[in-house]
Amino acid sequence: MTIDTASAAASPLPSYLERIRRFPAIRDRNDIEVIEATPWTSLELPDSTLELIQISARRRPDATALRFVMDATAQQQGQRYTYAEFLARVVQAANAFHRLGVDADDVVSFLLPSLPQTHFTLWGGEAAGVVNPINPMLEPEHIAGIMNAAGTRVLVALAPFPGSDIWDKVEAIKDRVPSLEKVLYVDAARFLGDDEARALRERLPLPDAADWCEDFDRCLDRAPADRLINERRIHPEERASLFHTGGTTGLPKLAPHSHANEVANAAMMQMLFRHREDAVILCGLPLFHVNAVLITGLVPLMIGAEILLATPGGFRSPGLVDNFWSLVERHRVSFFSAVPAIFSRLLEVPFGDAEVSSLESALSGGAPLPRAVHGHFEELTGISLIEGFGMTEGTCGSMANPLAGERRTGSVGLALPYTGARVVALDDQGRYLHDCAVNEIGTLLIRGPNVFDGYSRPEQNRDIWVEDGWFNTGDLARQDADGYLWITGRAKDLIIRGGHNIDPQMIEDALYRHPAVQMAAAVGKPCERVGELPVAYVSLQPNRQVNEDDLLSHCQAHLAEKAAIPKNIWILDSIPLTAVGKVFKPALRQDAVTRVYGEIANAELGPGVARITACQDATLGLVAEIRVPGDVDLSSLKARLEAFPIPCRWRQAS
């Protein structure tokens, strides 16, 4: 396969982008029906992510594909890659991986922050074989477990660098993954000044040359940039990536995406956002997450727009949030995506004299967006803040509030074009009973060209399909009369902390290792900053004594994922159970809401003034009912609780 960008200057808009451009802006379900009247196959989307990038490079070779900013506080324009340069580096990565033994079904894993080399690894890995992004903040044993489940042949990882322990983890796991044949290290010091880079490498030398590792960029430099040396023709149904999803206990759960899945989801998101080709799309989320890879990665690459890679750590980097508005002004950013906690933090950052009129819209996902944050952010910036819903099993996005229509705060919006979404009633065995009525709570199902075809391990696919091709998301939802979907709970019980999924089982397993614990259950408690924080409830073995501090110390010692360490562990006489002896977690979630809101009410109104009970509402899901005397001023309490994701129902005596 030869890569040609030479004749690109006058290339017309490809047919799929021309069709998307002519579709109506989405205001309501009627516009989606108009779009879906065009058969999906007639869009003639690219067969692969590589072909998608190739088309953009042929059409806009000299336009900026990627700009990397090492330091958010610096005034430099950053490292720029044109589309021709970006494609060349992706092809070199694919060829380098192929020379290291990677064929269509072989896996390239990576442990990297957000660097240009991360993009080259992503798309080059998909062009050569299958790419497997891994969260580098996981502990070594879990990283090794994911790599063994994936069958990793090549690993790309960050070389020793200040503030990073990635290379220490590589050293710890390299002999624990039998399929691993080569590690390529990325030297991020190349993005520093010469003197700073030289001083850094004197303190932290690069790994010694060895059979098992070598420099990533030097390896790419030796590979052709104008063709795939394996002459591979990628078919849409072939596997492109393996994303880890769910918790970190037991066998890792890997969700495969085909090239067709990824290209389809990029097209769907463009139908929603309608970015122009001169857009600048800021990526601040980590590139091991589907949101960063698809929404602020493949979507701009599809339309020939610019990706602004905002520091290696993205929103985790010191200084990025504090300097966000000046960064928007300097680079004329038009769009970014983040989790609710980031929008909440940005509300605390003054604009100063920054001119941010280039910013048009933003996407919030990963956790419920508090109503107060949504309203205040739109008022402050004047942009459209879109709340949506997605999951790794749906490649990334499946529904969102319409950019050109009514945005209903608290709703995840309408199903994207060509994505099916239903709310259904299931029996105790997960079998379909009937579709739910308007505003009736049931289980959310999705189907479409973006939905994967099952986890990599067949035994993990039991009960995930309801009828033909409908994936059971495990989320509870309702759909209103206009088609807007509202998530009301999670049947899967995942705790979502600022967009990060925490498996409660890992917390429970750790607590069960304590000799005093008889039963343990972990749930999320509401948090105004990150949506949910993990907490746990335990009952004790007869005649055993232990306190909360002892149990918290135990969790700190036995939980590899630090984000999963509970913020509280409450000891009960007994854990609530269902009639068949299962832990009844809805009662625990209600108790957690009552405790959190009660503590705030006591602080604002005085001890015992408000009576708070949490309950399940048929329409709203989990709510907090707050009863107060008629002569109490509720303004301060309402202001505090508006920032939390669980809505309140106020009862004030007359």
Side-chain angles (χ1 to χ4, degrees):
M1 180 180 181
T2 301
I3 309 300
D4 174 27
T5 61
S7 60
S11 294
L13 206 63
S15 60
Y16 54 90
L17 288 183
E18 182 61 33
R19 283 185 180 272
I20 292 172
R21 187 183 67 82
R22 292 179 179 177
F23 284 155
I26 298 173
R27 296 163 299 180
D28 52 33
R29 279 196 299 190
N30 292 330
D31 293 313
I32 293 174
E33 290 173 2
V34 170
I35 292 171
E36 291 178 340
T38 298
W40 175 256
T41 54
S42 72
L43 293 179
E44 298 180 336
L45 294 171
D47 284 344
S48 67
T49 56
L50 177 64
E51 184 182 357
L52 178 152
I53 297 168
Q54 183 185 2
I55 291 170
S56 291
R58 186 183 304 122
R59 192 169 64 86
R60 291 171 55 78
D62 299 322
T64 302
L66 178 71
R67 189 183 301 274
F68 171 64
V69 178
M70 185 71 172
D71 182 357
T73 64
Q75 297 299 311
Q76 289 85 1
Q77 287 298 307
Q79 178 74 44
R80 174 179 178 265
Y81 298 83
T82 67
Y83 266 90
E85 293 166 339
F86 185 90
L87 174 63
R89 213 57 177 159
V90 167
V91 172
Q92 286 180 303
N95 288 329
F97 295 145
H98 179 68
R99 285 177 171 174
L100 293 173
V102 174
D103 288 321
D105 295 325
D106 294 312
V107 174
V108 177
S109 297
F110 67 78
L111 291 166
L112 292 169
S114 295
L115 298 169
Q117 289 86 346
T118 315
H119 269 282
F120 306 151
T121 300
L122 262 169
W123 312 118
E126 292 192 358
V130 181
V131 78
N132 170 226
I134 301 177
N135 179 353
M137 290 176 283
L138 294 175
E139 295 300 318
E141 59 267 29
H142 295 120
I143 294 171
I146 293 169
M147 291 173 62
N148 281 317
T152 301
R153 175 163 283 191
V154 174
L155 172 66
V156 184
L158 184 69
F161 199 80
S164 169
D165 62 356
I166 289 177
W167 195 253
D168 293 334
K169 293 177 179 179
V170 172
E171 295 271 14
I173 65 175
K174 65 183 178 67
D175 295 325
R176 296 161 63 179
V177 182
S179 61
L180 182 63
E181 296 182 1
K182 181 70 78 172
V183 177
L184 300 179
Y185 58 81
V186 174
D187 182 10
R190 65 175 49 240
F191 297 108
L192 304 175
D194 291 343
D195 292 342
E196 188 178 0
R198 192 178 305 109
L200 187 153
R201 286 299 161 227
E202 288 176 359
R203 299 195 318 272
L204 284 174
L206 290 171
D208 293 331
D211 290 341
W212 65 275
C213 72
E214 64 177 295
D215 184 279
F216 175 86
D217 285 286
R218 291 179 182 173
C219 187
L220 266 60
D221 290 341
R222 299 193 298 269
D226 62 340
R227 68 192 187 283
L228 292 182
I229 57 177
N230 62 357
E231 299 183 346
R232 182 186 182 194
R233 176 66 184 179
I234 304 170
H235 298 285
E237 68 277 5
E238 288 188 273
R239 187 171 288 185
S241 58
L242 281 171
F243 279 86
H244 178 232
T245 183
T248 54
T249 58
L251 293 174
K253 187 178 285 187
L254 298 178
H257 296 160
S258 68
H259 284 270
N261 289 150
E262 294 189 349
V263 173
N265 208 214
M268 292 170 175
M269 298 308 299
Q270 176 60 10
M271 292 173 199
L272 170 70
F273 284 107
R274 305 174 71 85
H275 298 301
R276 299 185 305 273
E277 63 183 23
D278 63 352
V280 177
I281 295 178
L282 183 146
C283 177
L285 295 174
L287 283 165
F288 60 78
H289 195 284
V290 290
N291 187 305
V293 172
L294 267 293
I295 293 174
T296 54
L298 198 60
V299 172
L301 292 174
M302 169 177 270
I303 61 174
E306 176 180 335
I307 300 168
L308 176 63
L309 206 54
T311 76
F315 289 121
R316 290 178 174 269
S317 292
L320 178 56
V321 171
D322 290 341
N323 292 276
F324 186 80
W325 303 120
S326 60
L327 198 72
V328 168
E329 178 184 31
R330 187 181 318 130
H331 296 282
R332 306 299 297 160
V333 172
S334 53
F335 173 87
F336 71 101
S337 181
V339 295
I342 298 301
F343 291 103
S344 180
R345 287 176 59 195
L346 287 172
L347 286 174
E348 302 170 2
V349 179
F351 269 64
D353 57 358
E355 203 285 303
V356 297
S357 61
S358 62
L359 195 59
E360 297 174 351
S361 59
L363 177 69
S364 176
L369 181 64
R371 293 173 183 269
V373 172
H374 194 176
H376 292 164
F377 194 87
E378 288 197 332
E379 182 180 355
L380 173 70
T381 62
I383 72 167
S384 300
L385 177 53
I386 304 300
E387 186 170 8
F389 171 89
M391 58 195 317
T392 306
E393 292 85 348
T395 302
C396 183
S398 293
M399 52 204 68
N401 277 268
L403 183 63
E406 181 185 358
R407 298 184 297 281
R408 298 185 179 178
T409 303
S411 167
V412 295
L414 306 170
L416 294 176
Y418 302 99
T419 298
R422 297 163 65 192
V423 179
V424 304
L426 305 177
D427 66 15
D428 292 341
Q429 281 71 48
R431 293 178 300 221
Y432 172 81
L433 293 175
H434 58 81
D435 280 37
C436 290
V438 170
N439 284 324
E440 179 187 357
I441 293 176
T443 299
L444 177 63
L445 311 181
I446 58 173
R447 182 175 71 177
N450 58 313
V451 177
F452 79 153
D453 61 4
Y455 300 107
S456 59
R457 291 181 179 272
E459 66 271 19
Q460 294 173 334
N461 293 319
R462 288 191 294 269
D463 303 324
I464 68 170
W465 304 109
V466 180
E467 299 189 309
D468 182 34
W470 287 95
F471 175 70
N472 183 346
T473 67
D475 290 283
L476 301 177
R478 63 182 176 89
Q479 190 169 34
D480 67 23
D482 298 314
Y484 286 75
L485 288 144
W486 306 73
I487 304 299
T488 61
R490 285 185 305 281
K492 289 182 178 178
D493 289 333
L494 285 177
I495 301 164
I496 301 182
R497 176 178 181 168
H500 176 64
N501 289 354
I502 297 171
D503 186 348
Q505 185 181 339
M506 77 172 81
I507 302 171
E508 294 158 6
D509 288 349
L511 285 166
Y512 276 124
R513 293 165 68 180
H514 193 287
V517 171
Q518 182 181 59
M519 292 193 71
V523 297
K525 75 172 184 179
C527 173
E528 76 275 29
R529 190 173 58 85
V530 295
E532 283 186 323
L533 290 169
V535 296
Y537 292 82
V538 301
S539 61
L540 303 181
Q541 299 282 2
N543 304 316
R544 300 298 294 264
Q545 296 293 322
V546 69
N547 60 35
E548 180 180 358
D549 289 341
D550 292 335
L551 292 173
L552 287 170
S553 297
H554 174 83
C555 285
Q556 289 168 352
H558 290 86
L559 276 169
E561 189 171 350
K562 302 310 177 188
I565 295 172
K567 292 298 179 182
N568 304 96
I569 300 177
W570 293 309
I571 301 172
L572 305 180
D573 291 337
S574 61
I575 299 290
L577 304 175
T578 67
V580 294
K582 294 182 179 180
V583 174
F584 187 55
K585 287 194 173 182
L588 298 179
R589 292 192 192 93
Q590 292 171 13
D591 181 80
V593 172
T594 300
R595 289 174 187 260
V596 171
Y597 284 24
E599 183 177 344
I600 294 171
N602 288 342
E604 293 293 331
L605 306 181
V609 174
R611 291 173 50 207
I612 298 176
T613 55
C615 59
Q616 195 72 19
D617 181 89
T619 299
L620 298 176
L622 184 59
V623 299
E625 186 165 284
I626 302 177
R627 297 178 181 271
V628 294
D631 58 350
V632 172
D633 180 1
L634 293 176
S635 56
S636 63
L637 180 59
K638 284 186 174 181
R640 287 283 305 277
L641 295 183
E642 275 182 356
F644 283 75
I646 305 301
C648 297
R649 194 159 53 201
W650 301 90
R651 299 281 190 264
Q652 192 162 17
S654 56

